[in-house]
Amino acid sequence: MTTATERAGGPLLLGVRHHGPGSARAVRAALDAAAPRVLLIEGPPEADDLVRLAVDADMRPPVALLAHVVDEPGRSAFWPLAEFSPEWVAIRWAVRRGVPVRFMDLPAAHTLARREEEPGPGRGDPIGTLAGAAGYDDPERWWEDVVEHRGAGADPFAPFEALGEAMGALRETPGGDGEGRDLLREAYMRLQVRAAQREFGAEGVAVVCGAWHVPALRQRTTVAADRALLKGLPKVKVDMTWVPWTHRRLARTSGYGAGIDSPGWYGHLFGAPDRPVERWLTRVAMLLREEGRIVSSAHVIEAVRLADTLAAMRGRPLAGLTETLDAVRAVMCDGSDVPLALVHDRLVVGDVLGEVPESAPAVPLQRDLSRLQRKLRFKPEALEREVELDLRKETDAARSRLLHRLRLLGVGWGEQAQARGSTGTFRETWRLRWEPELSVRVAEAGVWGTTVAAAATAKARADAVGAEALADVTALAERCLLAELPSALPVVMRVLADRAALDADVGRLAEALPALVRSLRYGDVRGTDTGALGEVALGLAERVCVGLPSACVGLDAEAAERMRGRVDAVHGAVGLLGSLGGSAAAEPGGGDTVLGDGSCAHPSAEIARGGLRARWLRVLRGIAEGERVVGGVRGRCARLLMDDGVLAEGEAARLMGLALSRGSEPGEAAAWIEGFVGGGAGGGMLLVHDERLLGLVDQWLTGVSAEAFVDVLPLLRRTFSAYEAGVRRTLGELVRRGPGRGGAAAVAAGVPGFAQELDRERADAVLPVLGLLLGLGGGRGGAGGADDRLEGGGVVYGSADDGDGDTGWGGGRGDGRGSGSGGSRATAVRDSGLVGVTR
């Protein structure tokens, strides 16, 4: 093996494995021994001016060099670096000692210009080839045994010489001289090495590059030959900066990943000063304890012993990741892979997110985003987290605006989720995770403006003009209101009005209306003027009412399913539209609308909203009774009418009887059943509690012929499989008890729980509880005073309405006198039982 003293006259070539902690330690030892005058590193030369930031106090790896085309930011490339990357260690070593650092790879200007060209065949995995030659089936395990577990030797240059010779042997095999892009890169590297040798002397140059390129850099070629390879390469203008990176991205082999399986484990190996296995298993134990598992110090001791034993049995110099995970599974996880998957996700891979200093170059939009994140204390993180925002608070409202504006710009930092425990518009739930690619999205969005607000406004205007469907424009209007972009709304509203006036497709109108009506709600919480939206929404709703009946005729099964969804959405939108004017919408033919504050309003819009509600219900009734309308849509309209209390007693059974009569096709009847009681609309409970409807379904089903039953079975199975298991079980019991007649036969048979008449005394027993839950007065005892007396003693809870919209609960005494301000409600308990609610 050659030593440092024998290297005079040639550059020091340090061939490494990218993101290998063993290579990083060896590079640091070799640089300390050689003390070069200049350091050349595999990377884009455009980043030469950025290396000084590597020692900045605010720079925390993993980070990546980002290069993107100035006029097309989406064309970009990353060069990720972790704390244990040999290149990162070499850069910091040189900058701290004042040694010049230069990147010597093919410039990004050429690389990005050639990205659209077809890639070559590729060279495969040289590490995997060497591992296979050594008898290993796992390249990672071979690398750990040969490099990561190797102690420091007397000659710091020996491992690089050995690895270089191995790569030289690989490149001598047929097809092993590298692909076309590698040949171009290596030609450029040789030119840069020659230039550094002329400036600093041959013995003063150190090169850190992938081990695969070392034989090519030793190759004797002429300058003219290398320049001839590079002549005429396409070129584009690029910008370069540092961006944060994550361990999770390092673990990906596709996209911008680095393709290492265990960045968290490698980071631990590089950072652990001694006893890496013991320290690693201690971290595992801490993680499992945080997740509620019982793990003691005895578990850690036994896991260390097992890992060392496994390494000895397998002939390995030290316990590696495989042995430690096997020990964790056996000792700490009781043989289960479920907690082991958590260890792999949190520790073996990890969610570390790097940081870059503010002095790093960035597009103006990125600087404004960073400023807003600091101002709102909204730090991006690699680990997915859920955040709840209360829009009544100024900071949370500003965070909501930022997230909605970023979504408009295509920067998906967060995805909105369903809020838990609240259906109001004042609360939002977001799932946040910052991915490195979002830096590219921010750079792309920079063409729209220099601030987040200006860029989102310009993007919304452009999207409105370029939208093809009416529903896209209404959805955009909703997003503009959520993002509070008043400057974009006039353009969006103008396009919306034009598209709505010209679009005659009822389906598209029905799809556009719900988003538009939802947008009207945001004026209450966000202080946005939505007057113009109301007029457009009313116009759309009127046109849907006119065209919907004819649009429901002659539909196939797939179109009928879509129409059912549209009818549901429009029904909810009309109900919301009618309630926006106040606490009670105007009834058809009635007078003024009474608002929540007791005042009276009589604008034409309020009257139109009340009339629209009545008209919509008439449209639903017409569709439900229409003979040519497909069964699924008719059944759904009948169900909506029944849920709204519009159908008289027994009318739902009449409609079902008509739909399930012998004159109806079995397929149409089954579709009607699915529309009426299918899905998650509580149809199962409806059949449980309405014996007449269940009896009709049962009677129809038993009368279907064998041939037709085979055709309708998939539809019926889809309908009833959506019910909860308890509902299906109850329905089965009801049908079994009363063959052919559902619950009616059970009544005749005297089955407990069934009777001809309602037991009013038992039914009235739940009224006090409902009154207590709903805050309503009037129980069994009728209207009474707050100081009604209890027989036999008891406890009284008094509730008081103090006029601010909240219900305050006061204490009470056993004599029935409840305390509280304002008009009080007293709830009395007789003999430990709830007996009445009085006001």
Side-chain angles (χ1 to χ4, degrees), residues 789-800:
R789 302 283 176 163
L790 289 176
E791 297 180 8
V795 183
V796 174
Y797 297 96
S799 68

Side-chain angles (χ1 to χ4, degrees), residues 205-269:
V205 178
V207 177
V208 177
C209 64
W212 176 260
H213 303 296
V214 170
L217 296 184
R218 289 176 177 168
Q219 184 179 354
R220 297 290 184 179
T221 62
T222 63
V223 174
D226 288 338
R227 288 178 177 173
L229 283 175
L230 301 172
K231 186 177 181 181
L233 288 180
K235 187 176 182 179
V236 293
K237 186 177 180 180
V238 300
D239 275 345
M240 181 77 66
T241 187
W242 290 105
V243 295
W245 205 250
T246 66
H247 274 182
R248 198 170 299 278
R249 285 296 179 190
L250 286 172
R252 297 189 182 181
T253 56
S254 60
Y256 305 131
I260 56 175
D261 296 330
S262 48
W265 167 252
Y266 277 2
H268 170 77
L269 290 180

